[in-house]
Amino acid sequence: MSTMVPVGVVTVSDRAFRGIYQDQGGPGIEAALARILATPWRPARRLVPDERPAIEAALAELADVEGCPLVVTTGGTGPAPRDVTPEATAAVCDRMLPGFAELMRAVSLRAVPTAILSRQVAGTRGSCLIVNLPGKPSAIAECLDAVFPAIPYCIDLIGGPRLETDPAACVAFRPKGA
């Protein structure tokens, strides 16, 4: 029996944190991952307010304590003063991977002109890849579909577990022999 790989799912939202409305971003991430991943996995969920210390603590805990090879966030990536997810992510990462954000914005720009306002980032912390996504469930799926072909190989390169995808949903790219 294989071990379930923990995958961090972080929703950053003051209103969802306070219970004013139900989180739709976290479930949107989980639905997309359930469709994409063939490797047995389980969500390690966090719901935090738009506060840098809370976001940084959640990301560090998921990477360092929970051992998540992948942490995906939703929310807090716009230009509003309380949108600090990119700053929190950069603060906890060892290396930034700007190609993820470039591709996600390019894909989102096909759907909405306001995609240029998105400030999502991606980076690594040890053997964990952290990727910021938009908050809208349809945009979450669209962005994950765009970048996921590179995620398993990235996790291989940083020393994480081998993640396999369902080829009907996503074909992961790995160089021959990897």
Side-chain angles (χ1 to χ4, degrees):
M1 182 172 149
S2 43
T3 306
M4 301 279 272
V5 174
V7 175
V9 177
V10 180
T11 299
V12 179
S13 169
D14 286 331
R15 292 178 292 169
F17 182 76
R18 291 194 305 253
I20 295 170
Y21 73 74
Q22 188 172 0
D23 171 25
Q24 293 183 356
I29 290 171
E30 290 181 36
L33 292 174
R35 181 176 45 81
I36 294 170
L37 281 172
T39 298
W41 67 283
R42 65 173 175 78
R45 300 178 186 99
R46 300 293 185 276
L47 174 58
V48 296
D50 287 285
E51 295 172 7
R52 229 178 114 169
I55 300 165
E56 290 176 19
L59 297 176
E61 178 188 9
L62 289 165
D64 303 345
V65 179
E66 296 282 338
C68 296
L70 175 63
V71 174
V72 186
T73 74
T74 180
T77 60
R82 289 197 54 81
D83 290 336
V84 294
T85 302
E87 288 80 9
T89 301
V92 302
C93 283
D94 306 317
R95 291 185 159 175
M96 300 308 293
L97 299 169
F100 280 87
E102 292 165 6
L103 179 56
M104 288 188 286
R105 276 189 285 277
V107 166
S108 294
L109 195 54
R110 294 181 206 146
V112 293
T114 54
I116 61 172
L117 302 176
S118 180
R119 301 180 316 110
Q120 67 239 30
V121 299
T124 61
R125 178 181 178 95
S127 59
C128 176
L129 171 63
I130 301 171
V131 180
N132 299 158
L133 295 173
K136 187 176 172 187
S138 61
I140 287 168
E142 184 177 74
C143 287
L144 267 181
D145 286 348
V147 299
F148 216 92
I151 286 178
Y153 185 53
C154 179
I155 292 171
D156 292 349
L157 291 171
I158 60 175
R162 187 172 177 94
L163 295 182
E164 299 294 345
T165 59
D166 177 347
C170 171
V171 177
F173 175 82
R174 288 185 167 99
K176 293 199 185 315

